[in-house]
Amino acid sequence: LQTRMQSLQPDPKAQYRSVYEALKKIVRTEGFWRPLRGINVTMLGAGPAHAMYFACYEKMKKSLSDTIQHGGNSHLANGIAGSVATLLHDAVMNPAEVVKQRMQMFNSPYKSVLACIRTVRKTEGFGAFYRSYTTQLTMNVPFQAIHFITYEFMQEQINPRREYNPRSHIVSGAIAGAVAAAATTPLDVCKTLLNTQENIALSSVNVGGHLSGMVNAFKTVYQLGGVSGYFRGVQARVIYQMPSTAIAWSVYEFFKYFLTKHKLEKRT
């Protein structure tokens, strides 16, 4: 839904006024499973990407907090650790995101994930999978910095003793995801344009060949939709991120608690 709603020059058959209308129209005209197209490639990359992401975050957060605030909770350390962890995460997820978004576009020419990978590699080269990597990082570094700082701040407010408390992790994760998602929507719109290379949109502003680079994407989005163009799909993005970050944090905190408890029991 987010990919479709961020389309800057959509096909007349793929114009939507709201998230609910988009979902209803896609299911009715393209089938029940259409909104989930390309999710298999995302799931394949998500496991290793998140493992590296949280492992790097925990290690860096501890090291930096000890240096900056002598073992205390430093928001600066949280932001830096989240940003560095993003470099590893996005190196895995960027190609998966390119494939997923191309498969989710209206009238997508790709029949399967493998067909999409082969066609893109053959026609545009391997670099196409990383064309939006710098944009992704430009978006995700501030996103993750805001996300981790907000999560840790919320934990200080509602779970100051930092115990395992599922409700506090879900609430903190959801709020952190919503704040970070809303703040970085303009960058996400640019990333979507770079990933999908919308033909109708690019030809309408006389862009020949493939659009590349953050600056070019920002200019093109403004030409096509003005200031409001940067906030296309903000509602869908926030709705998507809230449960996503809430689930990620609650699962992560559960396994962190479970493994720490198991380790202590083994010692005693």
Side-chain angles (χ1 to χ4, degrees):
L1 291 184
Q2 185 183 327
T3 300
R4 293 281 188 96
M5 293 187 78
Q6 285 180 344
S7 176
L8 294 159
Q9 292 284 319
D11 186 284
K13 293 176 184 175
Q15 291 180 346
Y16 317 108
R17 285 191 297 269
S18 68
V19 173
Y20 175 69
E21 190 211 340
L23 184 61
K24 193 169 72 172
K25 196 171 179 181
I26 291 167
V27 169
R28 192 176 68 242
T29 59
E30 300 173 54
F32 181 78
W33 297 108
R34 192 63 176 86
L36 296 177
R37 200 157 187 249
I39 199 166
N40 50 347
V41 72
T42 305
M43 288 171 69
L44 196 66
H50 277 76
M52 290 190 293
Y53 173 69
F54 279 114
C56 178
Y57 172 69
E58 275 296 330
K59 183 71 178 170
M60 282 209 68
K61 182 181 82 166
K62 191 176 184 304
S63 302
L64 289 169
S65 288
D66 287 342
T67 306
I68 298 167
Q69 211 161 305
H70 305 293
N73 180 37
S74 164
H75 291 305
L76 178 61
N78 299 335
I80 295 169
S83 300
V84 174
T86 304
L87 297 174
L88 294 174
H89 177 271
D90 286 2
V92 176
M93 288 305 292
N94 202 83
E97 185 78 0
V98 171
V99 175
K100 184 197 79 171
Q101 289 192 319
R102 289 195 181 221
M103 292 189 72
Q104 287 177 343
M105 289 299 288
F106 182 74
N107 275 343
S108 172
Y110 311 108
K111 288 184 170 63
S112 69
V113 167
L114 281 175
C116 181
I117 293 168
R118 285 197 197 106
T119 306
V120 172
R121 191 177 62 82
K122 190 178 176 182
T123 58
E124 299 177 47
F126 184 74
F129 295 107
Y130 283 94
R131 192 178 284 132
S132 67
Y133 185 55
T134 51
T135 307
Q136 179 95 331
L137 289 176
T138 307
M139 179 187 77
N140 277 356
V141 165
F143 177 92
Q144 297 301 352
I146 296 166
H147 170 208
F148 281 110
I149 289 168
T150 306
Y151 179 81
E152 299 287 358
F153 172 77
M154 288 303 301
Q155 282 291 284
E156 281 182 349
Q157 305 308 306
I158 62 178
N159 186 19
R161 294 176 68 182
R162 302 309 294 264
E163 296 171 333
Y164 175 62
N165 183 331
R167 189 181 296 176
S168 82
H169 302 316
I170 290 169
V171 171
S172 298
I175 291 170
V179 171
T184 56
T185 297
L187 295 160
D188 195 46
V189 172
C190 295
K191 184 202 76 174
T192 298
L193 182 60
L194 287 169
N195 276 350
T196 58
Q197 299 289 317
E198 278 182 76
N199 291 327
I200 299 171
L202 297 181
S203 61
S204 70
V205 287
N206 299 317
V207 173
H210 300 298
L211 184 72
S212 62
M214 183 68 162
V215 175
N216 290 333
F218 254 94
K219 285 177 183 173
T220 307
V221 171
Y222 186 75
Q223 282 177 278
L224 290 163
V227 174
S228 62
Y230 294 117
F231 290 92
R232 289 184 71 90
V234 64
Q235 186 188 9
R237 182 164 158 76
V238 169
I239 290 169
Y240 166 75
Q241 285 295 345
M242 283 182 78
S244 174
T245 47
I247 292 165
W249 277 111
S250 56
V251 171
Y252 171 68
E253 293 282 8
F254 167 74
F255 279 105
K256 186 177 164 184
Y257 165 75
F258 175 78
L259 293 169
T260 305
K261 188 183 175 187
H262 183 65
K263 199 174 177 181
L264 286 169
E265 283 172 355
K266 275 183 79 177
R267 280 180 186 172
T268 54

